[in-house]
Amino acid sequence: MKEKLTIVKVGGAVVEDEAQLSQLLKDFSAITGKKVLVHGGGRKATKVAEALGIESKMLGGRRITDADMLSVVTMVYGGLVNKNLVARLQANGVNALGLTGADMDVIRSHKRPPVTITTPLLSKEGQGVVDFGFVGDVDKANGQMLSKLIEEGITPVMAPLTHDGQGNILNTNADTIASETAKALAPYYDVTLIFSFEKKGVLRNPDDDDSVIPVITRADFINYKADGTISGGMLPKIENALGAIDSGVSRVIITLATALDGQSGTIIQQ
């Protein structure tokens, strides 16, 4: 029987909220057994970029990362946010180690090619080609290397940065980092992946915080996507969750950052 491993992904909104973040780190530290923390930090990156006079360009909730913005996200994700989380976990008795995908070659990716997107944000016709810049799409995650760290009693804290093997850092979606890390570790552990954010789970009605959908299967997701119940940034989150389940991850839960008990929120199933 495989040993249990819990991977928690915390979003940028929670990282920016001191009360939620303190509670999350306390709850994460209390999780028994082996664990991994994956973090975002987009809101902090936007604030730092603004202070430096660098414009943040977003499209459909995704950050366009030019050379200047790449410098900002590297500093913020790999430095400011990551090392603050590591220091605070150490204070909570967790022997944490901050990592980007470039460290120990744990996550390698390729630069996303320009894509054609249909949206009225681009032109009157609603379609255009978008170059997201230095954004990485994951090719592989090294579960064997991560498992060696974990077996030494170390808790990896993963920043949403990867590399292409050619010396280039790439900005990569934190949900994708969490999902790919979970898939890479599934051969070694009984993995539970928890996406924690500022809501109680996936909501049937975005204006009603108590309208949590308890279980979503792939068939449910197709229906919810078609009728608009699930849209925006929740779409890639659930797609990542379903991909993790398909690749051997035992459980995926989407829940409130202050509810890491594995019993709350929305459970994603095949």
Side-chain angles (χ1 to χ4, degrees), residues 14-93:
V14 176
V15 169
E16 282 289 283
D17 186 305
E18 178 54 36
Q20 288 190 76
L21 180 61
S22 293
Q23 187 62 51
L24 176 128
L25 292 175
K26 181 180 177 181
D27 293 345
F28 178 81
S29 300
I31 292 173
T32 57
K34 294 173 168 56
K35 51 200 170 189
V36 176
L37 184 64
V38 179
H39 67 84
R43 295 191 183 189
K44 177 70 75 174
T46 298
K47 285 185 178 180
V48 171
E50 184 179 0
L52 294 172
I54 298 170
E55 181 185 1
S56 292
K57 299 174 183 177
M58 308 289 290
L59 184 65
R62 292 179 290 179
R63 186 180 300 276
I64 295 174
T65 308
D66 60 16
D68 287 340
M69 186 56 69
L70 180 65
S71 294
V72 171
V73 298
T74 301
M75 289 187 291
V76 173
Y77 300 163
L80 184 61
V81 174
N82 188 270
K83 299 313 172 189
N84 278 331
L85 290 175
V86 168
R88 294 179 67 168
L89 286 172
Q90 295 290 357
N92 278 277

Side-chain angles (χ1 to χ4, degrees), residues 126-154:
Q127 189 175 77
V129 176
V130 176
D131 185 350
F132 281 96
F134 296 97
V135 169
D137 291 327
V138 173
D139 293 318
K140 61 178 180 178
N142 192 333
Q144 182 181 25
M145 189 62 72
L146 283 170
S147 68
K148 288 181 179 179
L149 280 180
I150 293 166
E151 288 304 310
E152 290 298 323
I154 294 169

Side-chain angles (χ1 to χ4, degrees), residues 6 21 55 161 187 191 209 241-242 270:
T6 304
L21 180 61
E55 181 185 1
L161 298 166
V191 177
D209 284 348
L242 287 166
Q270 281 182 317

